[in-house]
DNA sequence: TTTTCAAGAATTTTT
DNA sequence: TTCTTGAAAA
């Protein structure tokens, strides 16, 4: 019976055996945290705890699924089935569905994703006639999100002079009005955004003691993974639920807290011992994942942080290779370096592609890496970025489905009311929104009484609106007797959505059609899976699944691929070989996170997370110049590079033919960093923080020669460049025809020419875009 | 109302 | 560079 206990070390075993009471497990990177969690749950079940009474909250759906299947391996699948496991968002969305009426919500409420929220806020800003330069929708949403995660309701906001003052000072006194309208509109649409899922859960548990008691009694054992990344709202939920039985086990690592930007509060983990009585603390300090070089190098970095819990990560693993640092000329070279190095390692060690990952700070960096990997014919997969479910064609299709499940869903309706085009223009939609607000009903309800109410819409368009309404109604009727796939199929056919995409005739259109088909297949798979698990396979449930899904969740393994992702996404994963690219000031650490000590510390933790993903070897690289916003920027190496203890690093020299060619990893060159080292060290001594803006806005150097080649390759014709376009030249434009250059102004990318065309028109064109050909 | 094209904005990180 | 927005043309 205790076979699984034998697989644990001392600290791990103690943590597993501690059955009751509040406890915290500080789990260093690679210390077998998941193993402890799964065995702990299995152990509880083997000792008479009903799985029905265990709630386990993880950070991603993927983690939940993995853990569940591992537990099933220990206790058997039928036992594991009743466990409640998932992310905060998915677990509480489920609970909210069954309790929604208490809060005045329909149980089929929609979940707005970030894009829906931003669109709604933009629309509100417009309706309130605020300047959109001052009120940037994304920023406003960020602010509202802060409020919600701190449980500041609209009313609480208006009662808090400090907040009001702060928004006044920042030049956005109307934030409160937007907040109020946003909340009202979401409510009217029967929609919750991500933050609402937590906020409304708190509301539910506070306002209805009997509901709280019910779930307290149900969840007698609560486990929270990645506790360092919980926000205040999540913290309160956990505290409320655990209050009765106090069987709360939180797991985390303060050194891996990387989500402060979305409200995560590292104090939750630092103060856990103050929140509960008699807290037992366990520390998992032995790293099983990485070579000792990597562990010690990572330690030397994280030691620079002041705010952290006391712990000492160590490993019994072998020393391994030193960490390699590569300086490259440009991001393109960086990509080639990575691709070549992966290729070499693959060949020499006979490894599959999925032994490698490339990590970066921002999604935009993936392009150069992709290009290089493609050239080398190395298969890769990108995680994150524009995810499948965020693509336009997918969102459009889903919007129809959302609308028929919840016809009050305003964002879904606005998305599809004129897509595919059916002659209902923006003006009409604007009028509908205003009228719906005025009569305090949803747009869909409004569509039922177009004749009864006084709305300034002519009869031709009214007929079109009625047609649209009837179509949605007919979908709803069909939905009652059909399964999710059949409904979706019907919608796609009836709306001619696919035909509309196809009619574009571009190669991209083909892949977009394929995406829609893939979505349909996804629905099919979903239904099958749910039937197997004997769970809800309704359309509504599918939509919830999709709203809370991330890219990791639809991972279909075919061939092994190199993983490309942001460091944030890499948390919790491990790979034999890890490449961390773009180690440059203003990129990593990010220019937007250099203002305060705590921001820099979070960036440093991020770097720590990146390093500790690696089992065998880490490669770091930085480019001396990089395109950002289409401009070439000079870069300085990241301060983090010099924070790694020197004894663990080696420099790779960037020889020209190596950067471009094939032979790269050459033992000889590891040892000759002298020249590099000197050049590397010097600019790194930066005791006083420079004003960052300056570096960011460094004069742009456009390299004419390089550009020339690139552009002309692309357009297959002679192109103009700053230096060779003069007043008086005759040029030809693909669209406007021939013309004479009247004047030239601006420099670099903003260089414009005023041209009088033969048609008589005079236009000012940006040379960057206008494909001009000199003809005389 | 719809489509097209030029101009402008944008890059942290995500459930 | 790529995506979004806005104005003008159809």
């Amino acid at each position: 019976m205790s076979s699984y206990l034998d697989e644990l070390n001392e600290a791990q075993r103690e943590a597993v055996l501690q059955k009751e009471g509040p406890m915290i497990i500080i789990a260093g990177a690679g210390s077998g945290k998941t193993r402890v969690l799964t065995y702990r749950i299995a152990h509880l079940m083997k000792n008479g705890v009903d799985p029905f009474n265990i709630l386990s909250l993880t950070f991603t759906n993927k983690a939940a699924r993995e853990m569940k299947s591992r537990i099933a391996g220990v206790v058997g699948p039928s036992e594991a089935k009743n466990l409640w496991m998932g992310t905060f968002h998915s677990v509480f969305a489920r609970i909210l569905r069954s309790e929604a009426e208490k809060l005045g919500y329909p149980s089929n409420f929609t979940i707005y994703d970030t894009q829906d929220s931003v669109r709604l806020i933009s629309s509100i800003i417009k309706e309130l006639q605020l300047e959109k330069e001052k009120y940037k929708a994304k920023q406003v949403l960020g602010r509202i999100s802060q409020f919600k995660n701190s449980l500041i309701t609209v009313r609480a906001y208006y009662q808090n002079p400090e907040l009001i003052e702060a928004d006044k000072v920042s030049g956005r006194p109307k934030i409160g009005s937007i907040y109020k309208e946003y909340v009202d509109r979401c409510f009217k649409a029967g929609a919750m955004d991500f933050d609402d899922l937590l906020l409304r859960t708190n509301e539910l548990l506070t306002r209805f003691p009997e509901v709280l008691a019910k779930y307290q009694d149900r969840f007698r054992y609560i486990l929270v993974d990645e506790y360092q990344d919980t926000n205040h709202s999540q913290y309160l939920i956990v505290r409320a639920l655990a209050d009765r039985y106090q069987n709360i086990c939180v797991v985390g690592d303060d050194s891996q807290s990387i989500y402060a930007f979305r409200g995560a509060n590292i104090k939750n983990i630092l103060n856990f011992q103050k929140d509960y009585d008699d807290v037992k603390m366990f520390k998992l300090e032995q790293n099983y994942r990485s070579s000792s070089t990597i562990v010690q190098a990572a330690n030397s970095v994280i030691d620079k942080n002041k705010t952290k819990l006391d712990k000492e990560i160590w490993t019994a693993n072998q020393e391994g290779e030193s960490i390699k640092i590569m300086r490259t000329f440009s991001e393109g070279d960086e990509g080639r370096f990575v691709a070549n190095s992966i290729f070499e390692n693959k060949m020499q060690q006979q490894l599959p592609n999925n032994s490698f990952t490339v990590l970066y700070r921002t999604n935009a960096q993936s392009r150069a890496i992709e290009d290089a990997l493609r050239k080398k014919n190395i298969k890769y997969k990108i995680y994150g970025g524009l995810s499948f479910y965020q693509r336009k064609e997918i969102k459009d299709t889903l919007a129809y489905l959302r609308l028929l499940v919840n016809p009050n869903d305003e964002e879904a309706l606005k998305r599809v009311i004129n897509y595919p085009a059916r002659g209902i223009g923006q003006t009409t939609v604007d009028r509908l929104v205003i009228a719906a607000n005025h009569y305090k009903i949803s747009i869909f309800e409004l569509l039922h009484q177009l004749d009864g109410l006084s709305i300034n819409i002519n009869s031709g368009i009214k007929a079109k609106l009625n047609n649209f309404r009837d179509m949605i109604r007919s979908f709803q009727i069909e939905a009652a007797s059909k399964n999710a796939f059949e409904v979706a199929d019907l919608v796609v056919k009836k709306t001619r959505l696919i035909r509309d995409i196809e009619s574009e005739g571009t190669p991209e259109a083909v892949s977009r059609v394929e995406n829609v088909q893939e979505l349909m297949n996804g629905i099919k798979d979903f239904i099958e899976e749910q039937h197997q698990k004997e769970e809800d396979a309704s359309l509504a449930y599918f939509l919830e699944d999709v709203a809370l899904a991330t890219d990791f969740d639809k991972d279909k393994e075919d061939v092994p691929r190199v993983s490309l992702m942001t460091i944030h996404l890499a948390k919790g994963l491990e790979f034999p070989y890890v490449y961390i690219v773009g180690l440059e000031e203003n990129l990593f650490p990010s220019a937007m996170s250099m203002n305060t000590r705590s921001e820099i510390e979070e960036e440093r933790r991020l770097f720590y997370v990146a390093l500790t993903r690696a089992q065998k070897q880490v490669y770091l690289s930085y480019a001396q110049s990089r395109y950002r916003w289409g401009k070439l920027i000079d870069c300085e190496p990241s301060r983090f590079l010099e924070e790694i203890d020197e004894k663990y690093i080696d420099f790779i020299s960037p020889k020209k033919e190596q950067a471009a060619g094939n032979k790269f990893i050459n033992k000889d060159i590891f040892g000759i960093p002298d020249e590099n080292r000197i050049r590397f060290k010097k600019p790194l001594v930066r005791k006083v923080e420079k004003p960052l803006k300056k570096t960011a806005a460094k004069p742009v150097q456009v390299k004419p020669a390089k550009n020339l080649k690139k552009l002309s390759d692309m357009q297959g014709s002679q192109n103009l460049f700053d230096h060779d376009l003069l007043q008086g030249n005759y040029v030809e434009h693909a669209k406007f025809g021939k013309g004479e250059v009247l004047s030239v102004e601006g420099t670099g990318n903003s260089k414009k020419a005023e041209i009088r065309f033969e048609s008589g028109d005079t236009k000012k064109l940006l040379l960057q875009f206008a494909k001009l050909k000199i003809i005389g």
Side-chain angles (χ1 to χ4, degrees):
Chain A
M1 117 116 203
S2 54
S3 66
Y4 55 92
L5 291 179
D6 300 337
E7 294 171 35
L8 302 171
N9 69 29
E10 187 73 26
Q12 291 174 328
R13 194 175 315 122
E14 281 175 21
V16 167
L17 292 174
Q18 176 69 36
K19 192 177 159 199
E20 318 228 287
M23 59 185 280
I24 179 169
I25 304 174
I26 302 295
S31 62
K33 175 191 72 172
T34 314
R35 168 177 290 207
V36 168
L37 265 176
T38 46
Y39 284 176
R40 196 180 131 74
I41 294 171
H43 187 73
L44 286 173
M45 289 164 64
K46 290 217 166 185
N47 285 275
V49 176
D50 189 338
F52 193 77
N53 292 133
I54 301 174
L55 169 67
S56 170
L57 297 166
T58 55
F59 199 69
T60 62
N61 293 308
K62 190 190 180 209
R65 260 202 312 275
E66 256 177 38
M67 210 181 289
K68 208 164 182 173
S69 80
R70 281 169 73 165
I71 293 170
V74 183
V75 300
S78 59
E79 282 285 297
K81 224 188 89 187
N82 283 329
L83 282 167
W84 273 64
M85 271 199 177
T87 62
F88 274 90
H89 295 267
S90 67
V91 165
F92 294 111
R94 195 81 56 82
I95 289 179
L96 283 169
R97 286 225 186 268
S98 60
E99 311 285 349
E101 271 92 5
K102 295 196 175 62
L103 300 171
Y105 266 92
S107 67
N108 61 358
F109 64 82
T110 304
I111 298 172
Y112 274 178
D113 68 9
T114 309
Q115 202 183 0
D116 295 319
S117 301
V118 170
R119 284 179 175 217
L120 177 53
I121 286 176
S122 307
S123 146
I124 291 170
I125 289 170
K126 212 188 229 167
E127 288 162 35
L128 295 177
Q129 298 182 350
L130 301 169
E131 304 155 73
K132 65 178 178 201
E133 291 74 27
K134 263 192 189 152
Y135 293 88
K136 297 248 172 80
K138 267 190 200 153
Q139 287 176 10
V140 174
L141 177 64
R143 184 82 174 135
I144 291 176
S145 180
Q146 273 178 20
F147 296 151
K148 288 187 173 178
N149 284 326
S150 318
L151 260 58
I152 298 167
T153 59
V154 173
R155 196 200 286 172
Y157 174 84
Y158 279 117
Q159 286 167 352
N160 188 328
E162 275 173 40
L163 289 176
I164 296 172
E165 185 58 27
D167 283 328
K168 223 178 248 165
V169 169
S170 74
R172 293 182 299 193
K174 289 286 185 186
I175 288 274
S177 317
I178 303 174
Y179 186 19
K180 178 171 188 316
E181 182 65 16
Y182 175 71
V183 171
D184 289 349
R185 289 278 273 280
C186 285
F187 186 76
K188 198 179 82 177
M192 296 204 198
D193 65 15
F194 287 137
D195 303 320
D196 281 331
L197 294 175
L198 306 174
L199 179 72
R200 297 287 181 185
T201 301
N202 269 304
E203 184 188 345
L204 182 74
L205 299 180
T206 324
R207 273 179 53 198
F208 302 94
E210 74 282 5
V211 176
L212 174 62
K214 178 168 115 191
Y215 288 104
Q216 281 178 335
D217 203 47
R218 158 119 208 217
F219 302 130
R220 295 182 189 199
Y221 292 85
I222 300 174
L223 295 93
V224 186
D225 193 8
E226 309 281 10
Y227 192 67
Q228 76 279 0
D229 286 324
T230 50
N231 63 32
H232 188 63
S233 196
Q234 293 168 320
Y235 162 83
L236 291 175
I237 293 172
V238 169
R239 225 176 58 169
L241 289 176
D243 194 46
R244 176 136 168 227
Y245 288 94
Q246 302 268 317
N247 293 325
I248 167 81
C249 169
V250 303
V251 188
D253 178 3
D254 55 302
S255 301
Q256 296 185 60
S257 165
I258 53 175
Y259 280 98
F261 71 91
R262 84 178 200 214
N265 189 350
I266 194 170
K267 287 196 178 123
N268 290 347
I269 194 166
L270 298 176
N271 293 339
F272 183 80
Q273 292 179 89
K274 292 180 200 150
D275 289 329
Y276 296 86
D277 295 329
D278 292 327
V279 173
K280 296 272 190 311
M281 185 191 253
F282 304 89
K283 287 187 188 171
L284 310 181
E285 296 176 303
Q286 181 176 0
N287 176 309
Y288 293 95
R289 176 187 294 152
S290 314
S291 73
S292 80
T293 300
I294 294 169
V295 169
Q296 293 177 65
N299 281 345
S300 70
V301 169
I302 203 67
D303 276 346
K304 307 279 188 301
N305 272 8
K306 289 215 165 120
T307 326
K308 58 182 206 136
L309 290 167
D310 187 36
K311 64 174 175 305
E312 196 69 46
I313 307 299
W314 63 279
T315 186
N317 292 347
Q318 290 187 337
E319 185 183 350
E321 290 278 333
S322 61
I323 290 175
K324 307 284 187 279
I325 298 182
M326 175 71 181
R327 178 189 67 192
T328 65
F329 181 65
S330 66
E331 57 190 330
D333 280 344
E334 184 177 52
R336 283 187 283 279
F337 154 70
V338 169
N340 288 333
S341 171
I342 289 177
F343 188 77
E344 293 272 333
N345 279 327
K346 226 178 97 141
M347 290 305 156
Q348 278 171 17
Q349 326 275 336
Q350 289 295 310
L351 292 167
N353 284 334
N354 57 9
S355 302
F356 303 89
T357 188
V358 185
L359 305 179
Y360 35 79
R361 180 67 238 271
T362 67
N363 281 307
Q365 290 167 259
S366 69
R367 178 164 309 256
I369 312 291
E370 283 179 74
D371 289 345
L373 288 174
R374 238 194 331 261
K375 283 219 177 87
K376 279 251 144 194
N377 246 327
I378 299 172
K379 295 255 193 280
Y380 62 87
K381 171 157 172 60
I382 297 195
Y383 294 88
L386 227 210
S387 90
F388 181 75
Y389 295 112
Q390 285 168 352
R391 289 162 200 263
K392 182 181 180 308
E393 62 275 17
I394 301 302
K395 289 219 73 174
D396 289 337
T397 315
L398 289 173
Y400 273 106
L401 303 179
R402 275 165 55 178
L403 190 59
L404 67 101
V405 168
N406 171 16
N408 293 334
D409 185 336
E410 186 177 317
E411 291 311 302
L413 183 134
K414 283 196 286 194
R415 228 187 145 96
V416 297
I417 192 165
N418 195 34
Y419 180 81
R422 50 176 73 89
I424 303 169
Q426 192 58 53
T427 330
T428 309
V429 174
D430 288 347
R431 283 180 188 153
L432 288 174
V433 170
I434 290 167
N437 284 341
H438 177 258
Y439 292 110
K440 299 210 181 333
I441 53 178
S442 74
I443 298 178
F444 196 73
E445 284 164 332
L446 185 72
L447 292 183
H448 288 270
Q449 27 191 318
L450 286 176
D451 293 322
L453 306 169
S454 63
I455 303 165
N456 182 18
I457 290 175
N458 72 43
S459 58
I461 294 178
K462 269 186 191 169
K464 288 174 181 165
L465 289 171
N466 285 334
N467 283 341
F468 174 74
R469 178 201 67 201
D470 292 340
M471 180 177 72
I472 300 296
R473 289 289 301 275
S474 77
F475 291 155
Q476 287 180 311
I477 293 165
E478 295 286 342
S481 59
K482 287 185 156 71
N483 74 27
F485 175 78
E486 290 163 337
V487 178
D489 193 51
L490 180 80
V491 167
V492 169
K493 289 213 172 91
K494 275 274 164 63
T495 58
R496 305 182 180 184
L497 206 140
I498 287 192
R499 204 180 304 172
D500 188 80
I501 302 174
E502 273 170 349
S503 69
E504 284 172 37
T506 58
E508 293 86 54
V510 176
S511 84
R512 288 172 53 211
V513 170
E514 284 168 3
N515 285 336
V516 176
Q517 277 154 354
E518 197 183 330
L519 176 69
M520 304 295 290
N521 291 337
I523 301 179
K524 226 179 213 167
D525 290 348
F526 171 81
I527 295 176
E528 260 169 46
E529 265 173 47
Q530 293 300 102
H531 280 318
Q532 263 176 24
K533 288 193 282 185
E534 294 168 30
E535 279 181 43
D536 189 356
S538 69
L539 187 54
Y541 192 66
F542 172 76
L543 292 174
E544 174 178 314
D545 215 45
V546 163
L548 300 174
T550 56
D551 254 15
F552 278 113
D553 300 332
K554 59 183 285 293
D555 204 4
K556 278 193 206 130
E557 290 289 318
D558 43 356
V559 288
R561 290 165 188 275
V562 174
S563 306
L564 273 59
M565 64 185 95
T566 63
I567 301 166
H568 282 88
L569 274 182
K571 193 171 74 163
L573 307 178
E574 59 183 22
F575 298 87
Y577 290 81
V578 171
Y579 292 81
I580 309 170
V581 299
L583 277 153
E584 294 138 36
E585 287 292 297
N586 293 325
L587 182 59
F588 191 15
S590 159
M592 328 209 39
S593 306
M594 293 173 129
N595 302 317
T596 63
R597 165 159 212 115
S598 70
E599 281 177 347
I600 280 290
E601 292 207 343
E602 174 145 325
E603 293 284 308
R604 190 176 287 118
R605 289 194 295 268
L606 197 55
F607 185 48
Y608 176 78
V609 168
L611 289 171
T612 53
R613 296 311 93 199
Q615 297 167 316
K616 291 188 67 164
Q617 192 161 5
V618 173
Y619 291 86
L620 308 173
S621 65
Y622 64 98
Q624 292 172 296
S625 63
R626 174 181 301 276
Y627 278 96
R628 277 182 113 175
W629 311 287
K631 290 176 177 175
L632 198 65
I633 304 274
D634 283 336
C635 309
E636 289 177 66
S638 167
R639 67 188 71 189
F640 295 148
L641 288 171
E642 72 166 0
E643 289 181 1
I644 308 171
D645 191 324
E646 272 187 78
K647 22 180 212 253
Y648 306 117
I649 54 184
D650 264 320
F651 293 84
I652 310 180
S653 168
K655 276 196 196 162
K656 258 220 174 112
E657 71 276 352
Q658 283 163 347
N662 28 21
K663 271 273 143 83
F664 187 123
I665 299 206
N666 177 344
K667 283 272 182 231
D668 300 349
I669 55 178
F670 289 165
I672 53 153
D674 292 7
E675 168 241 350
N676 277 317
R677 200 163 279 199
I678 292 156
R679 297 186 49 178
F680 172 70
K681 277 270 162 186
K682 262 272 166 62
L684 279 183
V685 185
R686 237 182 296 99
K687 285 278 134 52
V688 189
E689 282 196 12
K690 275 195 249 171
L692 303 166
K693 285 287 175 272
K694 235 180 204 166
T695 351
K698 244 188 184 161
V700 183
Q701 303 177 358
V702 181
K703 291 185 194 149
K706 211 176 164 190
N707 254 0
L708 183 67
K709 188 159 168 272
K710 221 169 157 187
L711 267 177
S712 50
D713 276 357
M714 240 162 45
Q715 294 163 10
S717 65
Q718 191 199 351
N719 282 280
L720 286 179
F721 290 93
D722 330 346
H723 46 274
D724 49 16
L725 179 69
L726 298 169
Q727 185 183 342
N729 275 139
Y730 284 90
V731 293
E732 187 169 347
H733 185 273
K735 199 80 196 171
F736 303 128
K738 295 172 187 172
E740 182 187 0
V741 177
L742 298 180
S743 65
V744 181
E745 62 181 64
T747 52
N749 280 339
S750 56
K751 192 155 190 170
K752 294 178 202 169
E754 191 175 14
I755 300 164
R756 184 169 60 223
F757 289 99
E758 284 180 343
S759 60
D761 290 350
T762 305
K763 297 200 187 280
K764 258 191 194 172
L765 303 174
L766 265 184
L767 298 188
Q768 198 192 159
F769 297 108
K771 293 166 186 170
L772 294 175
K773 200 169 170 182
I774 306 181
I775 52 174

